[in-house]
């Protein structure tokens, strides 16, 4: 039973659960970005470039069954996918870091009152005048 208990403690730690949630959300986010690139951005880019369909951009080496096909249009789409995901992650991390800096900044210290020695010196000076 020690192994099962140890695994349960590991699997239910906050960091592991946070990571699992991040992976699931990341997968869903990846689908959204892929749809944005495939269904919105690339058709617009295609219109700007003269109705070029990037899925059909290929280069064939050879003829027949031995031909090798380079699908560079799909590669371009994947690069755009990556750049959008990288930009979003960068902006997200930048925002989190900015929020953390605000939390870490110490509250401005209130001006310190006079020290005990300063007060005693002031009282001494007042007594000398009288």
């Amino acid at each position: 039973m020690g192994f099962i208990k140890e695994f349960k403690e590991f699997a239910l730690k906050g960091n592991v659960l946070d990571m699992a949630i991040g992976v699931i959300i990341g997968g869903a986010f990846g689908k959204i970005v892929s749809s944005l690139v495939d269904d919105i951005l690339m058709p617009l880019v295609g219109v700007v470039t003269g109705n070029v369909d990037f899925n059909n951009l290929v280069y064939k080496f050879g003829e027949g069954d031995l031909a090798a096909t380079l699908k560079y249009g799909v590669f371009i789409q994947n690069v755009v996918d990556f750049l959008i995901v990288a930009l979003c992650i960068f902006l997200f991390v930048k925002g989190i870091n900015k929020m953390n800096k605000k939390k870490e900044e110490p509250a401005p210290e209130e001006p310190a009152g006079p020290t005990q020695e300063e007060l005693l010196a002031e009282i001494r000076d007042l007594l000398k005048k009288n």
Side-chain angles (χ1 to χ4, degrees), residues 6-98:
E6 186 178 349
F7 178 73
K8 183 178 177 183
E9 287 176 10
F10 167 77
L12 296 179
K13 282 185 181 176
N15 292 343
V16 174
L17 293 175
D18 292 344
M19 186 175 67
I21 291 168
V23 168
I24 292 168
I25 290 174
F29 182 72
K31 288 181 181 180
I32 291 170
V33 171
S34 292
S35 177
L36 172 70
V37 171
D38 294 343
D39 302 329
I40 296 174
L41 293 180
M42 295 314 276
L44 292 174
V45 171
V47 168
V48 170
T49 59
N51 290 328
V52 174
D53 181 9
F54 281 80
N55 286 323
N56 295 329
L57 293 178
V58 297
Y59 185 80
K60 289 187 179 183
F61 290 102
E63 297 283 330
D65 293 339
L66 298 176
T69 305
L70 296 177
K71 298 179 181 180
Y72 66 93
V74 175
F75 176 75
I76 292 171
Q77 281 185 299
N78 288 332
V79 169
V80 173
D81 261 356
F82 169 77
L83 293 174
I84 291 173
V85 170
L87 176 67
C88 291
I89 290 172
F90 169 75
L91 294 174
F92 180 75
V93 169
K94 186 175 179 176
I96 294 295
N97 288 340
K98 191 174 185 179

Side-chain angles (χ1 to χ4, degrees), residues 98-124:
K98 191 174 185 179
M99 286 178 17
N100 286 340
K101 279 186 182 178
K102 287 182 181 177
K103 289 180 184 177
E104 292 175 5
E105 289 178 7
E109 293 183 21
E110 294 182 21
T115 64
Q116 186 175 6
E117 289 80 15
E118 292 170 337
L119 290 174
L120 289 172
E122 189 176 331
I123 293 170
R124 180 196 66 213

